[in-house]
Amino acid sequence: MTTEPLSRPRIVAAAIDLIEREGADAVSMRRIAAELGVGVMSLYNHVPNKDALLNGVAESVLSGIEFTDDPDAHWTDRVRAQARAFRQIAHHHPRSTMVVVSRQLHSHAGLLPVERALATLRGAGFDGPDAVRMLRMFIAFIVGSLLREVGVTPTFAPVHSRTVEAAEVDPALFPEVSALTPLLAECDHEAEFEFGVELLIQAIAVHAGQ
């Protein structure tokens, strides 16, 4: 058993580890105490309740985003970089990322990625309402891609899907599905993500008349 002193970062790290193994529904103060081998009351010296703990999980995940943003680059390149940075951290912590998007954070770690994304869009000439809508659109796309890629559902349960086989599809009833079964049966997740990002960027560029 570790002799490392109990601390908020250690408690949050234990929660992230548990979420990635079993999902957010498994988190409780008692369960985290058991994971750390300490008394449950000792947690409250560092984290007041489960809600604060989940906020800590979200903040910790967001703080791990590595931005390589170039303020002199074209806004489309900056949006690409920011989307990829969020995808990378989401890929490392898929179930914890679902916690991120379910929380309303007001901390530095929670607001910094939002600030950077909005500043990029505003700097590109979009007004406030459009910038907020576009940010939400990208988040929805990234989370949707994550659900497909790692098999995490909104209830944090793993998805056990099986590939559609040509023999299972009646071509008379489903001619397109039957014809495209080989394509439906495979997915290059990175290529799919890049394709989606490019479509979104082109769409907002057209919207702006750029």
Side-chain angles (χ1 to χ4, degrees), residues 28-120:
S28 68
M29 299 296 276
R30 187 173 300 278
R31 179 66 188 277
I32 297 300
E35 292 281 317
L36 292 170
V38 299
V40 66
M41 295 306 296
S42 64
L43 298 184
Y44 293 100
N45 294 322
H46 307 277
V47 182
N49 50 48
K50 178 181 174 178
D51 188 64
L53 177 57
L54 292 177
N55 281 343
V57 166
E59 292 162 3
S60 178
V61 170
L62 285 173
S63 68
I65 296 178
E66 296 182 2
F67 286 103
T68 55
D69 192 24
D70 179 2
D72 296 324
H74 193 269
W75 70 265
T76 56
D77 292 327
R78 298 181 69 191
V79 169
R80 289 185 187 98
Q82 291 167 7
R84 290 166 184 162
F86 189 82
R87 176 182 182 264
Q88 184 177 40
I89 198 68
H91 192 267
H92 290 324
H93 302 289
R95 291 184 168 185
S96 296
T97 297
M98 300 309 296
V99 175
V100 170
V101 298
S102 71
R103 315 299 291 180
Q104 188 70 37
L105 301 176
H106 300 287
S107 65
H108 181 273
L111 293 176
L112 184 57
V114 176
E115 174 65 24
R116 284 177 168 170
L118 290 175
T120 297

